[in-house]
Amino acid sequence: MSNNNDSKISLVENSSNIQLENEFSKTQLDILYAAEIIMGQKGIENTSHRDIINLAGQKNTSAILYHFGSIEGVVNALFELRMKVQNQERSELLEIILNQEDYSNMDLMDAYIDPMYNKVFYDSDWSNWIYFLQNLIISTNGKKYYADKYRKAAAEIENLFAKKNHIENDKMYSARVSYNAFFFISAIASRKRQIEESENEFEQNSKKFNSLINMPIDKKNYISSDAEFLKFLKTTSIFILTNKESKF
């Protein structure tokens, strides 16, 4: 990162109590969050410097080169920014699990999925992260980023799954892990889109309905149950990793 006179702010302002060592300037964060939105919409390989700079409100067209060196530098920085928080939260949940006398596959899956799910759906500062992540894992360089940098608390949980279920931690298991990552990230992204589309539909129909009779309509009719979706997500992930059905 370059040295500049921008005031420093925390990596994920107002969205986490975790104290992070690294800091980015406000200009750098504007660029990163703009990139997260654009890359989530267009895909990483279809995103240009100008796309990001325009959305970030930067007048200097060379701002990305100055602050990050390249588009790849932006992707790296954004991934580090988000995953430090995710890995820390997974580590805290994993520590609680390991201090128990015994734990289930579902306990491990809670630690594996909940930190991401809760950020995506209940923290507005993370609303675009899942779309960026989905595009990252399907991009040409996505496997490199994912393999190199998603191997901390998540890798510990994956190893515990293998050990608990007497599965050899070999190339076959690594393939299951990769497939499962693609599955649950894609499923969460699809769920996020479904909710956003349902909310838009609700707002439109609500206005039309209330223009006829002054009676509210139930928003729940437009969005399926969180609990049911999480049950599907976690039980399917357990089956992919262990080849065993699981009770929720």
Side-chain angles (χ1 to χ4, degrees), residues 211-224:
S211 66
L212 297 175
I213 54 174
N214 189 23
M215 183 182 295
I217 56 178
D218 190 357
K219 189 174 182 179
K220 292 181 180 179
N221 292 335
Y222 283 83
I223 302 172
S224 58

Side-chain angles (χ1 to χ4, degrees), residues 1-2 4 6-8 32 37 39 45 54 59 67 122 134 150 169 172 184 186 203 210 218-219 229 239:
M1 299 295 168
S2 59
N4 55 63
D6 289 330
S7 59
K8 298 291 183 179
L32 291 177
I37 294 171
M39 290 176 178
E45 294 169 358
N54 287 344
K59 296 179 180 179
H67 289 288
Y122 301 113
Q134 184 183 33
Y150 191 50
N169 199 343
M172 181 69 73
F184 79 77
S186 298
E203 294 298 333
N210 285 327
D218 190 357
K219 189 174 182 179
F229 177 76
F239 180 77

Side-chain angles (χ1 to χ4, degrees), residues 73-107:
V74 172
V75 172
N76 266 316
L78 181 55
F79 194 70
E80 288 289 346
L81 184 156
R82 294 304 198 189
M83 288 311 298
K84 282 186 177 180
V85 177
Q86 296 275 271
N87 279 312
Q88 180 63 31
E89 293 184 355
R90 280 193 177 112
S91 294
E92 291 171 359
L93 291 174
L94 185 57
E95 183 177 355
I96 294 172
I97 290 171
L98 294 178
N99 284 327
Q100 299 172 181
E101 290 185 6
D102 192 18
Y103 53 85
S104 65
N105 283 333
M106 190 58 70
D107 291 330

